[in-house]
Amino acid sequence: MTTSVPAFRQTQRVLDDAFDPSSSASAHLYINFGAHRIRLGVLDAQRNKFVALEDYEAESPSSVENAISQLQQLRSVSPLLEERKWQQVRIGIKNQQFTLIPEALFDLNAREEYLKLNAVVEPELEVVHHHEHPRLELINVFTVPASLEAWSGTHFQNSPIEFVHQTSALMEGILHMAERSSRPQLFIYVDKNYVTLVVLQGLKLEFCNSFFFTSSEDFIYYVLFVLQEKKMNPDQDQVTVWGELLLDSQLHEVLRTYIRHVQFGKKPTGVGFSYRFDTLFNHQNFDLYSLHFCD
């Protein structure tokens, strides 16, 4: 059964037979929040296994405030949001309001100044957060909508809440999956109208950025630009892609046109999945799953 709320529609839903939402106190709730998409996932902490997932997508162009309004309304239709007490709530923020700072140069009091170099910060609407990446020796500084922080603090007032940026989840998830290589490795995550590109070399971060695109031409331009900047060979180097694209999609076709070795990514290792997740494509929901690695 497909459940809808105004302006958003449910596109994915899986629920393990043994999962009981009332046992949320021993489970982790992961939320991916963006203006156009809200995705919820539950991890059974005792079994280290994902047991539930719900995905809601805007039917028409949306705004952050509208998405927050939809999130509030989902409480009445989503069994995951009906529960308010969780062992851990981790919320991944999808926006372009982020910047990466070397760990050695990071000053907590200068977070807003760092962001102002790359983005327009609206203090009355946004709250500045940061997430540490010890293995990469860098700090991700980003903004969280103030109204989302206020809502989550009230709704999950008896649960520990942590905010991370989508790029933090992707970097940690990719780092968890990648094999050490002397050659740069390009990893692509595709959202609706956004593509995030991550380059690792020897498990060290060489590049991470998110780009807005409106056409396949824009999309492949950014991919080829990064390949060129990092001196990668589109005829030799392997490229791994996750996210919202299918084998017969235009974006996948243009990737295969310009890059010889393109492979779809897999679900992350080191965490289990209910057999119900077998109905989902392995390369989708990677940013949600990877919130698990943002400890």
Side-chain angles (χ1 to χ4, degrees), residues 127 130 181 235 251 265 284 287:
V127 182
H130 74 276
S181 172
D235 290 325
L251 294 183
Q284 293 184 323
D287 57 342

Side-chain angles (χ1 to χ4, degrees), residues 3 6 15 17-18 23-24 37 44 54 68 70 83 92 97 101 124 130 139 141 201-202 240 270:
T3 305
L15 189 66
D17 298 335
S23 63
S24 59
R37 194 175 208 123
D44 183 325
E54 293 180 356
I68 294 171
Q70 302 305 316
E83 299 299 327
Q97 303 279 94
I101 306 297
E124 67 278 8
H130 74 276
I139 311 292
V141 182
Q201 183 167 0
T240 304

Side-chain angles (χ1 to χ4, degrees), residues 59-262:
E59 295 178 329
S60 58
S62 182
S63 65
V64 168
E65 291 307 316
N66 183 56
I68 294 171
S69 176
Q70 302 305 316
L71 186 60
Q72 294 169 338
Q73 293 183 51
L74 282 175
R75 291 178 300 177
S76 63
V77 297
S78 168
L80 307 186
L81 287 179
E82 286 179 359
E83 299 299 327
R84 296 180 175 231
K85 184 174 177 58
W86 298 84
Q87 188 179 102
Q88 172 75 58
V89 176
R90 186 170 291 148
I91 302 176
I93 304 298
K94 294 186 179 186
N95 63 25
Q96 289 185 292
Q97 303 279 94
F98 76 98
T99 190
L100 303 176
I101 306 297
E103 186 178 69
L105 302 179
F106 179 71
D107 180 351
L108 180 63
N109 297 320
R111 292 187 306 178
E112 189 170 322
E113 298 305 315
Y114 297 142
L115 272 174
K116 285 181 179 179
L117 297 175
N118 294 331
V120 177
V121 180
E122 301 180 271
E124 67 278 8
L125 299 176
E126 301 169 308
V127 182
V128 178
H129 285 251
H130 74 276
H131 182 78
E132 300 178 4
H133 294 271
R135 289 186 295 175
L136 296 173
E137 298 181 342
L138 58 82
I139 311 292
N140 195 344
V141 182
F142 61 99
T143 64
V144 173
S147 52
L148 176 64
E149 184 179 76
W151 173 80
S152 59
T154 300
H155 188 73
F156 302 114
Q157 57 183 317
N158 295 318
S159 307
I161 303 170
E162 181 183 8
F163 292 94
V164 301
H165 196 266
Q166 181 194 30
T167 51
S168 284
L170 291 175
M171 287 188 292
E172 289 296 335
I174 291 170
L175 192 64
H176 180 78
M177 296 284 286
E179 297 180 358
R180 186 179 295 275
S181 172
S182 60
R183 291 285 305 164
Q185 302 174 79
L186 174 61
F187 303 92
I188 301 175
Y189 190 86
V190 181
D191 270 316
K192 183 177 182 179
N193 295 122
Y194 287 92
V195 57
T196 300
L197 304 175
V198 176
V199 177
L200 293 181
Q201 183 167 0
L203 301 185
K204 295 293 185 181
L205 184 72
E206 293 290 324
F207 183 88
C208 176
N209 208 348
S210 180
F211 302 96
F212 176 80
F213 68 91
T214 57
S215 66
S216 59
E217 291 79 12
D218 292 343
F219 169 79
I220 197 64
Y221 168 80
Y222 292 121
V223 174
L224 294 177
F225 171 77
V226 172
L227 284 173
Q228 182 179 21
E229 285 292 302
K230 295 304 169 184
K231 296 180 173 55
M232 298 180 67
N233 189 328
D235 290 325
Q236 296 179 4
D237 289 316
Q238 183 81 50
V239 172
T240 304
V241 58
W242 285 277
E244 304 308 312
L245 79 168
L246 301 174
L247 186 62
D248 60 352
S249 67
Q250 188 175 9
L251 294 183
H252 186 254
E253 289 178 4
V254 74
L255 274 175
R256 293 302 300 267
T257 298
Y258 290 92
I259 301 172
R260 184 180 297 274
H261 303 289
V262 178

